[in-house]
Amino acid sequence: ISDDTWTITNPGTFTSGTGTVLFTKGSGTVTLTTGGDPFYHLAFNDGGGSAVYQLADPLTVNGNLAIQGGSLSTGANHAVTLQGNFTNSDIFTGNSSVITLGDTDQTLQGNTTFYTLTKTVTTARTLTLKALDNFTISNSLTLRGTSTTYRLKVESDHGTNRAHLDLLPDRVQDLAFLNTIRIDSNSGVEMNPTGSIQTDSLNWNISEATTLNWDGNAGTANWNTPANWNLGFVPRVGDTVVIPDTSLDPILFNAVTV
């Protein structure tokens, strides 16, 4: 498709089947309005040009999403829901959008910054990250399995080299029931999952006890706001809490144990 727009509006519908929709406009801005209708496989390739493919509403992809060439922008912070694999060979601009991964085995490939990335599974699944690629989360990261029986495995696709997964400082993490294998998070904050195990991963604390510093960066005094703590989660039983002398002291709205 080489047009400037893709627009689905009611009462019109788009039925994707199991095919691939490929956008090939080489320059300018291509606006995508899905009208809530999902794609199966979706790809973008501007052939080495300067095209920007921009969302005008939320995007759902039931298969794979591939940026082969060009820039994919989430526009005015539109959400993306993806059931298949993600490949970024050029530019992804996530703005302040939530990217939700499916309850499936998935692969992420290509250096990418996500604003909010979330994946929660109901059975044992694997999230595979391309080795040596950098995946940076600038706001919030949620990775959750269901139990110690049904963990979410997060692993590098290489038997020796690690993949890089980093959460920026003073951001929110919600991590539980994981099995991380060759994941390097040394360029971000310490990752602190509950009920988890790890193999050859860096900056992952699975002892379930750490030190948290109150910084009040959320701009509220609420103890229970994750963004008010330097590691992005509320202190748990067994953690050590450090509250410096600041102008914004924490307020407890209920009894807590640390």
Side-chain angles (χ1 to χ4, degrees):
I1 298 172
S2 58
D3 289 341
D4 291 334
T5 60
W6 170 281
T7 303
I8 304 296
T9 57
N10 290 328
T13 60
F14 168 69
T15 303
S16 63
T18 57
T20 300
V21 175
L22 172 63
F23 288 88
T24 59
K25 182 76 173 181
S27 61
T29 299
V30 178
T31 302
L32 282 71
T33 304
T34 70
D37 291 338
F39 293 91
Y40 192 69
H41 296 316
L42 177 62
F44 304 92
N45 193 337
D46 66 355
S50 57
V52 176
Y53 306 99
Q54 183 166 288
L55 303 184
D57 63 355
L59 173 66
T60 298
V61 180
N62 289 330
N64 300 328
L65 175 59
I67 307 170
Q68 300 166 355
S71 174
L72 174 60
S73 170
T74 59
N77 307 323
H78 296 296
V80 177
T81 301
L82 176 63
Q83 299 296 329
N85 300 327
F86 174 82
T87 302
N88 179 17
S89 300
D90 207 337
I91 299 171
F92 174 76
T93 303
N95 300 303
S96 297
S97 295
V98 176
I99 311 301
T100 301
L101 303 179
D103 189 358
T104 58
D105 294 332
Q106 292 177 282
T107 298
L108 305 183
Q109 178 175 341
N111 298 331
T112 304
T113 296
F114 299 102
Y115 181 73
T116 293
L117 181 69
T118 178
K119 182 176 178 70
T120 300
V121 299
T122 58
T123 190
R125 300 291 190 188
T126 300
L127 177 62
T128 302
L129 307 183
K130 182 69 175 177
L132 304 180
D133 285 354
N134 295 286
F135 303 95
T136 302
I137 315 302
S138 64
N139 180 62
S140 175
L141 174 64
T142 298
L143 297 172
R144 295 187 64 90
T146 302
S147 65
T148 55
T149 301
Y150 299 112
R151 298 185 193 273
L152 170 60
K153 182 191 296 183
V154 183
E155 67 174 351
S156 166
D157 72 343
H158 192 274
T160 303
N161 295 327
R162 298 181 181 93
H164 300 271
L165 177 65
D166 294 299
L167 177 66
L168 296 185
D170 301 313
R171 301 301 187 262
V172 175
Q173 57 177 283
D174 182 7
L175 311 172
F177 303 117
L178 305 179
N179 177 13
T180 66
I181 302 175
R182 294 180 300 280
I183 301 299
D184 183 350
S185 298
N186 262 341
S187 294
V189 299
E190 180 183 81
M191 301 292 199
N192 284 269
T194 58
S196 298
I197 57 177
Q198 67 89 16
T199 301
D200 198 22
S201 294
L202 302 179
N203 209 23
W204 284 80
N205 172 29
I206 61 169
S207 67
E208 299 191 15
T210 191
T211 299
L212 290 103
N213 293 277
W214 169 270
D215 55 31
N217 281 347
T220 71
N222 192 336
W223 173 285
N224 294 318
T225 300
N228 278 328
W229 299 94
N230 68 312
L231 295 181
F233 62 94
V234 177
R236 307 157 300 185
V237 175
D239 288 333
T240 299
V241 172
V242 176
I243 302 174
D245 185 11
T246 67
S247 59
L248 187 64
D249 293 327
I251 296 176
L252 297 177
F253 296 93
N254 54 275
V256 298
T257 302
V258 293

